[in-house]
Amino acid sequence: GENVEQHPSTLSVQEGDSAVIKCTYSDSASNYFPWYKQELGKRPQLIIDIRSNVGEKKDQRIAVTLNKTAKHFSLHITETQPEDSAVYFCAASKTGGSYIPTFGRGTSLIVHP
Amino acid sequence: NAGVTQTPKFQVLKTGQSMTLQCAQDMNHNSMYWYRQDPGMGLRLIYYSASEGTTDKGEVPNGYNVSRLNKREFSLRLESAAPSQTSVYFCASSDRTYYGYTFGSGTRLTVV
């Protein structure tokens, strides 16, 4: 089955800095890669996703890049703000069959004012 | 538009008691899921229902049962609660057009 490794487990940055979270996956057939943000005590919420036919996708201050050859994808947050503080989860799945994503263990991002 | 609604939000059970967690979605999604979240363990799939009338085990199904009551509702039952089932439980749904999950607000369950 699919295996997703996420690093780092904790990331501490100063407000205004950039933050990068990386995930690797094992199944070359995976073709859908979402990222979820979970604020303390809240539900995970989808913030951005990318499909395997695209190398990069951007939405304001967040972007995701995908390297299919190396089987890794990354979340980039620029100009971080305190409200970006949360746990971020990556996931990988195939968009066929029963569609069950495999989640990474999560990265706790702390943005210091 | 409520999205995914879970009840209850909090629950304390004694060991051996039973309870059912309720989940309903109003987005006409085909697939529904139950996850548990424990510190340092991420999200672990308990059971899922790819479509109305089907259910399948996930990564950690022991001690749980599910019912896909109709397209909207997917319940999770603990028949005999154990302290190891203390966790936060999330229901989620998705469809085949847009694969991202929509999560419910979660149920914080404590078994004493």
Side-chain angles (χ1 to χ4, degrees), chain A residues 14-19 61 77-81 84:
Chain A
Q14 289 296 126
E15 183 176 0
D17 287 350
S18 295
R61 294 186 298 107
I77 306 174
T78 59
E79 300 173 18
T80 54
Q81 301 168 4
D84 294 328

Side-chain angles (χ1 to χ4, degrees), chain B residues 72-88:
Chain B
R72 291 186 64 248
E73 298 173 286
F74 188 39
S75 62
L76 177 72
R77 183 161 179 83
L78 286 70
E79 291 291 352
S80 179
S84 61
Q85 294 177 306
T86 293
S87 188
V88 179

Side-chain angles (χ1 to χ4, degrees), chain B residues 60-77:
Chain B
V60 289
N62 291 344
Y64 305 95
N65 284 299
V66 291
S67 296
R68 183 75 183 264
L69 304 170
N70 47 55
K71 190 171 185 179
R72 291 186 64 248
E73 298 173 286
F74 188 39
S75 62
L76 177 72
R77 183 161 179 83

Side-chain angles (χ1 to χ4, degrees), chain A:
Chain A
E2 177 66 275
N3 182 50
V4 176
E5 300 281 343
Q6 184 172 347
H7 299 282
S9 57
T10 305
L11 179 58
S12 184
V13 300
Q14 289 296 126
E15 183 176 0
D17 287 350
S18 295
V20 181
I21 303 169
K22 299 181 180 180
C23 289
T24 60
Y25 62 99
S26 61
D27 188 345
S28 57
S30 289
N31 59 357
Y32 177 66
F33 307 94
W35 286 89
Y36 295 86
K37 175 183 180 182
Q38 186 179 25
E39 297 176 357
L40 189 62
K42 302 287 183 64
R43 73 189 78 188
Q45 290 191 295
L46 181 72
I47 56 171
I48 195 167
D49 57 15
I50 191 167
R51 295 175 189 259
S52 59
N53 58 348
V54 175
E56 182 175 359
K57 184 176 179 181
K58 192 172 182 179
D59 183 3
Q60 298 183 336
R61 294 186 298 107
I62 61 173
V64 58
T65 58
L66 172 65
N67 183 325
K68 287 189 295 182
T69 303
K71 289 190 282 190
H72 67 71
F73 57 110
S74 299
L75 178 71
H76 305 254
I77 306 174
T78 59
E79 300 173 18
T80 54
Q81 301 168 4
E83 52 264 39
D84 294 328
S85 296
V87 177
Y88 291 81
F89 293 95
C90 66
S93 71
K94 296 184 278 287
T95 56
S98 59
Y99 171 67
I100 302 297
T102 300
F103 285 90
R105 290 281 184 97
T107 296
S108 178
L109 173 65
I110 303 165
V111 181
H112 299 281

